[in-house]
Amino acid sequence: MNAMSMMRRALAFSSMLAAACGGGDPASPSAATKDSVTDTRPLRMLADARHVSIGGVTGSVLFLQSGAGGDTLRATLKREFNMVWSGNFLKFATIRPTRATFDYRLADSMVTFATTNGMKVRGHTLVWHNQNPAWLTQGTWTRDQTIAALYEHVDAVVGHYRGKLAAWDVVNEVLNDDGTMRSTLWRDRIGDDYIELAFRRAAAADPSVPLYYNDYNIEGPGAKADSAYALVKRLKNAGVPIDGVGFQGHFVVGKLPTRAQLAANIARFVALGVKVEFTEVDVRVALPSNASALAQQAQDYATIVQACLDVPGCDAVEMASVFDGESWVPGTFPGWGDASLLDMTFARKPAYFAVRGALGG
Ligand code: XIL
């Protein structure tokens, strides 16, 4: 890229940030009129009354853009949700393009947005095997060098947001589907204790932020959930500062565990002394979807919210995407989609009303 195009790109980025943080601020009166939905019972109001968080994610540049899509996304987020999670904004590759560079601009804009609109923020994620920069994934690393890189990252990033976040996903997706430990750059170079080292370091960097282990396919009964349970128990017994477990909640329509199974699994983790949150919920449907699939999806979303509300200690349900236009599903699972509460045009699906009903609205 030449100097001129780099400058153009930087200018475009700055104006996007300005739009997200203030310029096209959805809090301004003119922006309110752009949002056609006038609703006296947004999800967050109902969630507040139940003392739970209802979360939405953003993680795409749409959040930063002025104009119809970005305005509607931000207006929807702040109207419906009392929590946001950071999507791609805090992933290693996003904030550490080089070892010496810490680029917090995207994540900072989201934290500012959340603070302005009275929303909590989940930080995602410190230690993961995906979306890492080449300087970290490549080369030969000793255990000590990798621990040094881990500590450097945790100290800087957790330190940067000290006192500002409601949760940190310290480690993400540490298990294989059969329940064995996943081979990752962290585990392969450091050993199984990378998990406990990360938690202890994060607690030192921000003693007040709740620290989570986050994973998928651990929501209902099964070998992976049993291993996750055993892991959390081991960490707790060793005095590791873990405060919660995130159930990602990426489901296939009609293929969920039952409400009772979900609640029983949540309850056994809570009995270990941790919170449980659903952190990345979506319910994907084979495309093209139809009315009966969307009706089943609505029931599935209600099941998730009900199971969480069934167990004190489950205190948040966060959606993987606010609307289908930001969903990762079609790109990752070809032939599947329609997974969010709101469709491509932000119109509410039966699932939206089912979540509202489950929250008591
Ligand atoms: C996904 C994002 O939504 C996509 O935009 C990105 O291309 C890939 O990652 N588990 C996680 C999330 O913890 O961070 C992933 O998010 C989805 C699976």
Side-chain angles (χ1 to χ4, degrees):
M1 205 185 310
N2 65 31
M4 187 51 88
S5 62
M6 273 175 75
M7 199 191 302
R8 260 193 237 112
R9 214 172 87 154
L11 282 173
F13 186 72
S14 307
S15 64
M16 286 199 299
L17 279 184
C21 299
D25 189 339
S28 69
S30 63
T33 57
K34 287 182 203 144
D35 175 19
S36 56
V37 180
T38 49
D39 196 329
T40 53
R41 291 176 301 158
L43 301 180
R44 70 180 286 176
M45 197 184 89
L46 300 164
D48 283 344
R50 305 295 297 257
H51 305 290
V52 292
S53 296
I54 187 87
V57 68
T58 186
S60 79
V61 287
L62 188 60
F63 174 71
L64 304 170
Q65 286 168 354
S66 51
D71 286 353
T72 309
L73 175 62
R74 292 189 297 276
T76 306
L77 269 170
K78 71 167 196 162
R79 185 187 60 243
E80 298 291 346
F81 300 100
N82 55 17
M83 186 168 189
V84 281
W85 70 277
S86 59
N88 291 327
F89 287 1
L90 278 171
K91 290 177 180 174
F92 214 121
T94 308
I95 54 176
R96 302 287 302 282
T98 74
R99 186 156 187 176
T101 317
F102 289 84
D103 186 348
Y104 297 113
R105 289 178 297 176
L106 293 167
D108 282 357
S109 70
M110 204 197 66
V111 172
T112 303
F113 173 82
T115 309
T116 309
N117 293 300
M119 304 163 84
K120 293 179 175 174
V121 180
R122 152 173 246 99
H124 173 85
T125 174
L126 296 169
V127 178
W128 192 27
H129 58 280
N130 275 333
Q131 291 177 273
N132 288 313
W135 65 263
L136 181 64
T137 57
Q138 291 169 5
T140 308
W141 295 67
T142 64
R143 170 178 157 93
D144 284 349
Q145 285 169 336
T146 312
I147 291 173
L150 171 72
Y151 285 176
E152 175 186 282
H153 191 70
V154 168
D155 290 354
V157 180
V158 177
H160 182 81
Y161 291 104
R162 187 179 168 116
K164 293 188 175 153
L165 303 189
W168 254 119
D169 290 337
V170 177
V171 294
N172 194 35
E173 302 181 348
V174 306
L175 297 176
N176 293 313
D177 274 349
D178 66 0
T180 55
M181 291 289 291
R182 186 193 287 271
S183 158
T184 73
L185 72 89
W186 303 106
R187 178 175 183 248
D188 298 347
R189 295 174 190 170
I190 296 176
D192 283 349
D193 60 340
Y194 80 94
I195 296 173
E196 105 164 61
L197 295 177
F199 273 99
R200 291 192 193 281
R201 196 74 178 189
D206 184 348
S208 64
V209 66
L211 302 177
Y212 279 72
Y213 152 48
N214 192 48
D215 217 326
Y216 63 92
N217 285 354
I218 61 168
E219 299 82 2
K224 191 169 179 181
D226 289 348
S227 288
Y229 175 80
L231 170 64
V232 174
K233 192 172 181 181
R234 220 165 41 240
L235 293 172
K236 272 289 191 192
N237 287 341
V240 175
I242 175 170
D243 302 293
V245 178
F247 291 2
Q248 288 187 6
H250 297 294
F251 293 112
V252 175
V253 68
K255 298 240 165 68
L256 272 68
T258 64
R259 173 177 173 178
Q261 286 173 324
L262 290 170
N265 193 38
I266 294 167
R268 70 170 170 160
F269 279 95
V270 169
L272 293 176
V274 292
K275 298 269 190 206
V276 171
E277 302 191 341
F278 285 91
T279 54
E280 306 176 18
V281 173
D282 47 27
V283 179
R284 59 184 180 268
V285 175
L287 297 176
S289 65
N290 55 46
S292 78
L294 293 183
Q296 178 64 50
Q297 181 190 52
Q299 203 177 311
D300 293 344
Y301 266 101
T303 297
I304 297 159
V305 175
Q306 286 162 348
C308 183
L309 292 174
D310 282 344
V311 189
C314 182
D315 60 5
V317 179
E318 294 150 62
M319 310 303 164
S321 43
V322 165
F323 81 120
D324 284 329
E326 271 203 321
S327 173
W328 72 308
V329 168
T332 308
F333 307 97
W336 296 82
D338 225 340
S340 324
L341 299 183
L342 309 176
D343 74 10
M344 296 296 284
T345 68
F346 289 94
R348 298 165 174 196
K349 296 185 200 167
Y352 172 89
F353 297 102
V355 167
R356 188 161 85 179
L359 289 170

